[in-house]
Amino acid sequence: MTELQEAVLAKTLPHVAFDGWTWAALEAGAVDAGLPAIDAKRAFPGGPAEAAVFHSALADRRMAADLAALDPPPARTRDKVATLIRLRLEGAAADREAVRLGLGLLARPQNAALGLKALARTADAIWRAAGDRSADFNWYTKRGLVAAVYMATVTYWLNDRSAGFADTWAFLDRRLDDAMRLPMQAKKLAERAGTFVPRP
């Protein structure tokens, strides 16, 4: 099934810029892939929203593979996270309008749960590729922070007209620096508060 989905999606993306994430775009993609139009429904029985989520999942896989291909890879975890987000957006640059329209589709109330799952999967893929193996509460806080940074950066990137998206990468660095400070500030506050809590 994945091969069929990939074949249909690859040919659908050029149509998305004009027709949006619609059945018309999916059916045109299937025909362009040399398949009958009905195969669009075989590939994505859940419709255009399922196709948009699959597009995101493929980008997650490509992002991790692109990082693994770097020689040498970034050493620090913070730099790995930054590089992963950058690789993901650079890989989607040719389909930026499809990303924009996909976010709009998945933001609709009927698709919100799918959109949140896709975002959570992307945040998890970023941390896993960066080497995170946490299994405690940090698992949730790390992914929540990266999800917020990622979405803010995507929103900025969608409207960035700077050469080579230089403004986006500067924005990403600032957001990551802010996000990395939050856990340290929270830890300091917790330690400070503990000094005022009477011991039993």
Side-chain angles (χ1 to χ4, degrees):
M1 178 62 77
T2 299
E3 290 182 4
L4 174 62
Q5 289 174 316
E6 290 185 10
V8 172
L9 181 67
K11 296 297 185 179
T12 293
L13 289 174
H15 295 281
V16 171
F18 302 97
D19 298 326
W21 288 96
T22 60
W23 277 117
L26 288 170
E27 289 171 357
V31 171
D32 287 353
L35 303 166
I38 192 65
D39 276 2
K41 291 188 177 180
R42 283 185 55 228
F44 301 106
E50 181 184 354
V53 168
F54 184 73
H55 181 230
S56 176
L58 284 182
D60 291 340
R61 277 173 32 196
R62 184 172 58 240
M63 169 190 70
D66 288 346
L67 181 75
L70 293 181
D71 186 21
R76 295 192 307 161
T77 298
R78 182 253 183 236
D79 294 337
K80 288 179 183 177
V81 171
T83 300
L84 283 159
I85 294 175
R86 178 167 178 165
L87 287 171
R88 197 181 193 284
L89 296 184
E90 286 177 338
D95 302 310
R96 191 156 61 152
E97 189 59 22
V99 174
R100 183 196 310 276
L101 295 171
L103 289 175
L105 176 65
L106 295 176
R108 295 176 186 173
Q110 66 270 31
N111 299 323
L114 281 175
L116 286 174
K117 284 178 67 175
L119 176 59
R121 184 176 56 227
T122 295
D124 186 49
I126 290 169
W127 274 116
R128 286 182 180 276
D132 179 61
R133 297 294 181 265
S134 61
D136 55 8
F137 188 72
N138 283 335
W139 191 96
Y140 297 96
T141 56
K142 287 178 177 179
R143 280 148 183 79
L145 286 171
V146 162
V149 169
Y150 172 75
M151 280 307 301
T153 305
V154 170
T155 302
Y156 192 99
W157 171 76
L158 287 172
N159 298 290
D160 186 7
R161 298 293 180 268
S162 64
F165 303 115
D167 290 349
T168 294
W169 313 140
F171 177 87
L172 169 60
D173 283 337
R174 292 194 300 272
R175 295 289 76 77
L176 269 178
D177 287 342
D178 291 342
M180 294 299 177
R181 279 194 289 267
L182 285 174
M184 291 186 289
Q185 291 170 349
K187 182 179 179 180
K188 288 179 181 177
L189 285 173
E191 290 173 349
R192 193 175 302 167
T195 63
F196 297 101
V197 177
R199 294 183 179 276

